[in-house]
Amino acid sequence: MTQSNVAAREAAAVIPPQMGPVDSAGKPRYKLGPLYVTLPLANLALYLVWMGVGSFLIPMQVTAIKGHNDPDALKNAVAIGAALAAIGNPVFGQISDRTRSRFGRRAPWMLLCAGLGALALIGQANAKSIGVLAITWGAVQFILNGYQAALTAAMPDRIPAEKYGIFSGLVGLGIPLGIVVSAYTIGGIDLSKLGIDGIVGGFDGKFQGENGYYLIAGILIAAMLIFVFLSPDKSSKGMPVEKFNFGKFLSNFWVNPKQHPDFAWAFLSRFGVVAGYFIVLTYNFYILMEYIKIKPQDTPSTMGFLMVVNAICTVIASIVVGKLVDRFGVIKPFVLGSGVLAGLSLFIPMIWASVDGMTAFNIVNGFAFGMYMAVDMALITKVLPRGEDAGKDMGLINIANAAPQVAAPFIASWIVDAGGYEAIFPVAACIALAGSVLVVKVKSVR
């Protein structure tokens, strides 16, 4: 009997009978058909919150509260939320790992967190000060990272290894599709660059305030219900669970880099790539007004157009690269390629400070980010220390998404104070490139 067969039999032994047949790796078999739609849809709803609220509604809300563009106020409004996100993801991930119910380990937390997150969004819609905005956004980030922890665990829980590439690409579609929906509904999309007069969407600014929050909250609830009921989890009632020990609960948040070096290097690689992305994204609204010199009334639709350009390129690259990963079984070359391309793209606005320059930047950057999103989840899933702790481990690795969002506003603010908005781009380029290069240290993945 081969070592892989032994491992499969041992893994299958911990699967309770009601979870049904298992695959060659001992993972319960699920119907993949619904997940091709419900998983990216649930991720879309999540990123509609992160992109729609984070990129559009919060900068607009900060400007409305302060009466002018205030980078420091924006930094204060978003930093608390990102810090709580870094805490929430691994906490909820580990709790969901321990959950035993007839609805599975993840569904109860998706239901609870989506409901509470929607209520927090409604509260944020009515924030009238930077302090209240920071607190409510913090609550949204903390709660919805519980939703994200449960959702991202679906891939190691349910998807067979030979499908990691295509599903990584589908999950990665959440970001560009979230951008497109946000741009269309909140900012509108200025089509003048395509030779077409007028703005598509935008709805005369109807969703550039409280209504935008209400719309996003409703979409979040709808997507969660579709995922939970059309692609239900299997019962976890028969799965063994260790007696709760608070000390061990806390210690589980540490993954020893000496014992699991690939996990550590993958974490650092993701941290760098995401930090480079968010240093620019956090101040994107103000970059267009203060550096590119777009009129305030034209900024939402211009930003909408640029974000859609970026999203389309991201989608194309994500789908193509996802298929290539499954075909050739290699991941690291695409991570490296995405980092180099992202680094090069960030130099474009430095030498071409115009809407055309920003369009070129978003085309190249979109392809780079699409390459990365197509392989990111596949890479991370392959280096998880233990499959039974997938929720906790995915939560820990997701700190590499949240922690850069904590640091990015402060880093960007310091850069702007020291060298102006144009200095943001080379710093972000170096950080993103460094993150992608670190992937060569991951030895267990080709």
Side-chain angles (χ1 to χ4, degrees), residues 345-370:
S345 74
L346 286 160
F347 285 98
I348 295 174
M350 291 179 59
I351 59 177
W352 196 2
S354 66
V355 175
D356 287 340
M358 290 298 290
T359 302
F361 157 71
N362 277 280
I363 290 172
V364 180
N365 186 263
F367 275 110
F369 196 64

Side-chain angles (χ1 to χ4, degrees), residues 38-64:
T38 60
L39 189 56
L41 180 62
N43 213 43
L44 161 64
L46 181 66
Y47 279 96
L48 185 56
V49 177
W50 301 154
M51 298 298 174
V53 176
S55 297
F56 281 99
L57 295 179
I58 288 181
M60 292 177 180
Q61 206 166 358
V62 168
T63 298

Side-chain angles (χ1 to χ4, degrees), residues 84-94 145-146 148-149 152 391 394-395 398-399:
L84 289 174
I87 299 170
N89 217 300
V91 168
F92 280 107
Q94 186 168 182
N145 266 271
Q148 184 169 18
T152 54
M394 292 298 285
N398 280 334
I399 293 177

Side-chain angles (χ1 to χ4, degrees), residues 139-158:
V140 169
Q141 291 258 50
F142 180 76
I143 294 167
L144 289 186
N145 266 271
Y147 173 98
Q148 184 169 18
L151 181 63
T152 54
M155 187 160 165
D157 281 354
R158 307 192 193 188

